Amino acid sequence: MSTNTESLPTVVVQPGEADRILAGHPWIYKGSIQRTTRPPSDGDVVQVKDHRARFLGIGLFNSRSKINVRVLSWDRVEIDRGFFLNRIGAALALRKRLMPGATSFRLVNAESDLLSGLIVDKYEDVLVVQTPSLAMDQRKKLIVSVLEELLKPRAIIERNDMASRKFEGLEESHGTLAGTPPERLHAVLNGLRFDLPATGGHKTGLYLDQQSNYEAVARWAKDGAVLDCFSFLGGFSLHAARAGAKSVVGLDQSADACTAAGANAAANGLGDRTQFVNANVFDWLKAETFVPPSEKLVPKFDLVVLDPPSFTRNRDSVPDALRGYKEIHLRALRLLKPTGVLATFCCSHHVDARLFEDVILSAAFDARRMLRRVATYSQSPDHPVLPGVPETEYLKGFAYEMVR
Ligand code: SAH
């Protein structure tokens, strides 16, 4: 396209790094860089070449981050308004194709949408922006103007309160970037309304990555007694109740989450069948599975959902996390009726599907239960997976029917 990019500062990568980048992995670590032709400033656009001076891509530079370059394009393009209009427009078109009825979804999921360092969530007519990389943060105004052109939202707010920003040399910052936001955000997911606080809370407000799984799991709920562990704002609980569950118990250690979930249930006319208990799941399950030596445990639930937070922050904590996963599975299986279904999720990057299922099987073995896998789940399609960028795949889930 443009030849201007030829004069950009050049980052030359070490021999052996080119293939990964050409295959679509956008991160270039400090240690992968052989040299730069002239020192770029943090946030600058750079061109990336291999040690034989072959062009690899155009990216954004930050010396303060462990990731020195985030590649945005594998073609020679300017990183200007037109670029963002194309990329964000393509991201929007993908959501419209894959989730045609959805009105709240993740519009831009960083690497998944070839926009490393940018996240945009759509909560009905309000957009929530996160810019965890310095270079994207510097381009916030441009991004906001593109979002306004494409979606004409009522408001665009920024929620940059993630600790990871400090590794990029960024302060936390939140506030309104455009328009006038309502006091509380809300989202309609699969026809159910969820209210959430405008500040605080998890992620940008809701776990949008579970949107497609809420419906898929609810199919096991009809006429049953449901236990939703780590229920947060009631995503699985409300979908299960709407699908015809007789009763739903949600468990969360956050009192605010339980109150909000209860209000969401009531607002959707599902308050009579749902109950949210403010408890630590580990303690609650322990108490429920305790039986005096002479008695037998009577299982109560037809569907148990386990959707815990990531128990791992790094590789070192994986063994502890696995112990945690095993414990909740063991106890959940003991509470499940003979024909019941366990739907279970793991959002930890460091525990893959194989390892996760191994833990579940080992819990089943200890509980003397046999399982039949009846469904496999992944993150919702608005969190697309690029197989060439393994970090884009993190949420996995399974449903098992108890065979005996
Ligand atoms: N299933 C939810 C997301 C769960 S996020 C949804 O679809 O929206 C994890 C939730 O677990 C948070 O709300 C957090 O408050 C809660 N939590 C974390 N550790 C917990 C524990 N030990 N016991 C109970 N709740 C816990």
Side-chain angles (χ1 to χ4, degrees), residues 202 207 214 230-232 236 252-254 279-282 307 309:
H202 303 255
Y207 289 87
Y214 290 147
F230 310 94
S231 49
F232 190 42
F236 285 104
D252 203 288
Q253 72 179 9
S254 152
N280 180 310
V281 167
F282 286 86
D307 183 27

Side-chain angles (χ1 to χ4, degrees), residues 387-403:
V389 189
E391 294 83 355
T392 57
E393 184 169 29
Y394 64 97
L395 182 65
K396 50 259 157 204
F398 300 111
Y400 302 94
E401 196 178 71
M402 208 130 77
V403 178

Side-chain angles (χ1 to χ4, degrees), residues 79-234:
I79 307 301
D80 54 9
R81 193 169 191 283
F83 168 82
F84 284 104
L85 200 57
N86 274 335
R87 279 287 156 83
I88 298 175
L92 178 61
L94 180 71
R95 275 59 181 181
K96 286 190 170 160
R97 280 201 304 282
L98 297 176
M99 309 173 76
T103 49
S104 289
F105 47 81
R106 176 152 294 187
L107 170 63
V108 176
N109 191 41
E111 285 76 18
S112 303
D113 291 295
L114 314 187
L115 285 168
S116 181
L118 178 65
I119 290 167
V120 183
D121 285 341
K122 177 178 182 304
Y123 290 100
E124 301 304 301
D125 53 2
V126 177
L127 301 177
V128 182
V129 173
Q130 292 180 317
T131 47
S133 88
L134 175 90
M136 281 295 178
D137 202 69
Q138 289 175 348
R139 289 162 177 78
K140 237 164 12 196
K141 266 213 176 98
L142 192 61
I143 292 163
V144 163
S145 94
V146 166
L147 290 171
E148 287 190 301
E149 179 177 336
L150 285 173
L151 290 120
K152 311 208 167 23
R154 163 181 177 174
I156 302 177
I157 61 178
E158 166 183 18
R159 199 174 258 182
N160 276 315
D161 43 13
M162 310 91 83
S164 62
R165 275 171 68 92
K166 69 171 185 283
F167 299 115
E168 291 271 333
L170 285 166
E171 303 286 313
E172 293 195 3
S173 105
H174 9 164
T176 303
L177 299 173
T180 314
E183 220 163 274
R184 286 172 71 101
L185 298 187
H186 80 278
V188 178
L189 306 179
N190 309 303
L192 288 168
R193 186 189 160 109
F194 292 84
D195 280 310
L196 43 140
T199 52
H202 303 255
K203 295 221 172 179
T204 62
L206 259 178
Y207 289 87
L208 293 169
D209 53 1
Q210 289 285 26
Q211 179 163 195
S212 57
N213 297 327
Y214 290 147
E215 284 224 295
V217 168
R219 66 183 294 195
W220 313 111
K222 195 166 171 11
D223 299 327
V226 177
L227 177 66
D228 175 13
C229 298
F230 310 94
S231 49
F232 190 42
L233 300 179

